[in-house]
Amino acid sequence: MALPMQRCCARLRALTLPWPAAGYHARPRAWGLDRIYKPDPSDPETKEWHKGPAYEAKLYGRFGSASGVNPESLWPNQEQLRAIEEEEREWFPGLREMLNRVEAKEREMLRLKQERDKLIAANMAKMPQMVAEWRRAKRDAKQKARDEKARKERLLAQAREKFGTNVDFRSPKFQELLKDLEKEEKKKMKAKKRKQKEEEREAMEAVLSTPTANTQPTAPVSDSSV
């Protein structure tokens, strides 16, 4: 039954109207555009966003002088104006200040680049010497390792001569003997170095005490005019 009635209403609308019309009808607004809603600030039920100069500025921007808002009250006072100016100076600097900052940053970057280039040039100049020192240190390390290996083999040979070939290297007696041999060898090396230093000192004293060949006694000069 409902379907035939809908078809009948659609045909009637098509006959009475020159264009198709929708069947939806919106409810009218509680207050139209010609009415300005100005809440009472003293009313406890008034919302916070309906109070203050921000809402009044919104009303004045929408309805103009019909809103009843005094435009002079929307301007900031002296204290608010100083706060706005300070905020603008902090967060929105002028063009000259921004250019000065950019120039200072570029100068700092140029200075750092020049210092880096100088450091690279100095290191490149030192590169041959550094490579030679590295190779010399490598040779010294290899020679030290060979000397240490030869010393250990010599100590082991001395220990084998005393204990024999069939000896346990992990035995406490063998380890103690190795320590004694190492101490004895260190003493010999210290005595050798001490003797070498004494010989060098004696040679230096002998050189200093010997007069040079060019030094001869000078004869008194006679004055022929006397």
Side-chain angles (χ1 to χ4, degrees):
M1 185 67 184
L3 186 59
M5 290 295 295
Q6 290 179 1
R7 291 177 179 176
C8 182
C9 292
R11 290 176 182 176
L12 288 175
R13 283 196 300 271
L15 292 175
T16 56
L17 296 176
W19 59 84
Y24 173 75
H25 298 281
R27 293 183 301 173
R29 298 180 64 178
W31 46 276
L33 296 177
D34 56 339
R35 298 175 56 187
I36 301 173
Y37 176 68
K38 293 187 66 175
D40 185 9
S42 60
D43 189 0
E45 295 184 358
T46 302
K47 306 300 181 181
E48 291 295 330
W49 55 85
H50 286 162
K51 300 178 184 179
Y55 185 73
E56 292 182 356
K58 183 178 180 180
L59 289 178
Y60 187 80
R62 184 174 182 180
F63 301 104
S65 59
S67 62
V69 178
N70 184 12
E72 295 181 358
S73 64
L74 302 178
W75 291 94
N77 54 25
Q78 293 294 332
E79 184 178 357
Q80 293 175 350
L81 186 61
R82 284 194 294 270
I84 292 173
E85 291 177 351
E86 291 178 0
E87 184 178 359
E88 288 182 353
R89 282 194 296 270
E90 181 179 1
W91 295 100
F92 304 99
L95 179 60
R96 174 53 54 189
E97 185 177 356
M98 294 174 64
L99 290 176
N100 293 336
R101 291 181 182 178
V102 171
E103 291 176 357
K105 187 175 181 180
E106 290 179 352
R107 288 194 298 270
E108 181 66 17
M109 292 177 63
L110 180 61
R111 185 184 65 83
L112 293 175
K113 183 178 181 301
Q114 291 176 353
E115 291 181 357
R116 184 172 178 271
D117 293 342
K118 290 181 181 179
L119 180 61
I120 291 174
N123 291 335
M124 290 301 294
K126 296 178 182 178
M127 185 63 68
Q129 181 181 359
M130 295 172 64
V131 171
E133 292 179 355
W134 174 77
R135 289 177 177 174
R136 184 172 59 254
K138 193 174 182 180
R139 288 194 301 268
D140 295 343
K142 289 183 178 179
Q143 185 62 34
K144 186 177 180 180
R146 286 194 294 266
D147 296 342
E148 184 67 18
K149 184 178 179 181
R151 187 182 67 84
K152 289 183 178 179
E153 290 178 354
R154 186 172 59 254
L155 293 175
L156 288 173
Q158 294 177 6
R160 287 194 187 97
E161 289 179 0
K162 186 172 183 179
F163 286 98
T165 56
N166 297 327
V167 63
D168 188 5
F169 299 131
R170 296 169 296 180
S171 63
K173 290 184 178 181
F174 185 79
Q175 296 296 329
E176 186 176 357
L177 177 61
L178 284 179
K179 291 180 180 179
D180 295 339
L181 292 175
E182 288 178 356
K183 290 180 181 179
E184 185 177 355
E185 187 174 0
K186 288 180 181 179
K187 288 180 181 180
K188 291 180 180 179
M189 290 297 295
K190 288 181 180 179
K192 184 178 179 181
K193 289 181 180 179
R194 192 182 303 111
K195 184 178 180 181
Q196 185 177 0
K197 288 182 179 180
E198 290 178 357
E199 291 177 355
E200 291 177 356
R201 181 173 55 81
E202 291 176 358
M204 184 63 67
E205 291 178 355
V207 171
L208 294 176
S209 61
T210 303
T212 57
N214 296 330
T215 305
Q216 296 180 358
T218 56
V221 179
S222 61
D223 192 356
S224 59
S225 61
V226 179

